[in-house]
Amino acid sequence: MLPQPDTRVNFISNQFQCNPAMVGPGFSARADSEDPVAHRVERFAAMTELPRPHGFLPWLQVVRCYQKASRRLSERLAPLDLTNAQLDVLANLLAAPPEGLTQDQLGQRLLVTKGNVSGLLDRLGERSLVARRPNPQDGRSKLVQLTPTGVALAEQAVQVQRDFIAGLMQPLTEADLERLSYVLEQVEERLD
């Protein structure tokens, strides 16, 4: 005999999708495919009937904004055949001193592991966008620099990112941006 689906989960899920009031005051249920993580979090909260912790809604909004912005930026980088992670590498190398950065320095700036940095650099190297050379200060490490082709693409990609950010933030006043920055700095400090 095949196991029967959990009718409680299906019932709650169906009720949740039809009744946004279940998730609490001032909170809209979003069951669309554009926001799958938020949808899963909301469904989980509705199914388990757990109380929401202090700050849950703003936290969820930050997660949603990050995911949506990341997707939108990816769409804009697609014509350049770049991912968001590759843009981060190129932008950091573009801002680096002329001699470049070590892979460790680049990894610290990107907040990723050495393995992730190596993989990103391998893919960018295959496209002749970056070059690695021995570090004259430390024979155990390599310096990474943009090639001329890499500089040209990095400048183009950084401009795409700047235009995206400017368009996204344009409706906000300077006071709004200062307040947003202040609040996010407080949250970020708690994560350090």
Side-chain angles (χ1 to χ4, degrees):
M1 178 177 196
L2 293 174
Q4 296 298 309
D6 184 344
T7 55
R8 174 174 150 60
V9 170
N10 290 335
F11 172 77
I12 290 173
S13 176
N14 291 337
Q15 288 296 309
F16 171 72
Q17 291 176 5
C18 297
N19 184 2
M22 284 184 67
V23 294
F27 200 99
S28 64
R30 301 236 356 181
D32 59 23
S33 62
E34 187 173 343
D35 208 353
V37 172
H39 174 66
R40 286 194 302 272
V41 169
E42 290 170 351
R43 274 191 45 213
F44 175 76
M47 286 188 285
T48 58
E49 300 174 5
L50 293 174
R52 291 214 157 91
H54 176 75
F56 181 82
L57 177 58
W59 171 79
L60 188 59
Q61 289 170 319
V62 167
V63 170
R64 282 180 176 163
C65 286
Y66 172 78
Q67 290 173 333
K68 288 178 180 182
S70 185
R71 270 195 309 270
R72 299 297 190 283
L73 182 57
S74 287
E75 292 165 3
R76 285 164 176 78
L77 292 172
L80 302 176
D81 195 24
L82 288 176
T83 66
N84 292 353
Q86 290 170 334
L87 166 63
D88 286 344
V89 171
L90 295 178
N92 273 282
L93 290 174
L94 189 63
E99 66 272 7
L101 297 172
T102 66
Q103 286 187 214
D104 284 344
Q105 290 171 324
L106 187 57
Q108 290 168 0
R109 289 181 181 205
L110 300 174
L111 302 174
V112 297
T113 65
K114 282 183 184 182
N116 288 346
V117 173
S118 289
L120 284 165
L121 292 175
D122 288 344
R123 287 186 290 283
L124 293 170
E126 289 167 6
R127 294 178 57 191
S128 300
L129 300 174
V130 299
R132 293 183 250 197
R133 62 180 178 80
N135 183 350
Q137 310 291 331
D138 179 0
R140 297 168 297 163
S141 68
K142 294 192 179 201
L143 289 171
V144 183
Q145 296 172 300
L146 291 173
T147 64
T149 305
V151 169
L153 186 60
E155 288 172 346
Q156 216 179 339
V158 166
Q159 189 59 52
V160 167
Q161 182 187 45
R162 287 180 179 156
D163 292 345
F164 171 71
I165 293 169
L168 183 65
M169 299 303 208
Q170 191 275 329
L172 300 177
T173 66
E174 284 303 315
D176 291 337
L177 292 171
E178 286 177 21
R179 190 169 37 254
L180 178 61
S181 183
Y182 173 76
V183 169
L184 291 174
E185 280 175 17
Q186 288 182 315
V187 173
E188 187 177 6
E189 284 175 9
R190 299 200 39 100
L191 296 171
D192 289 336

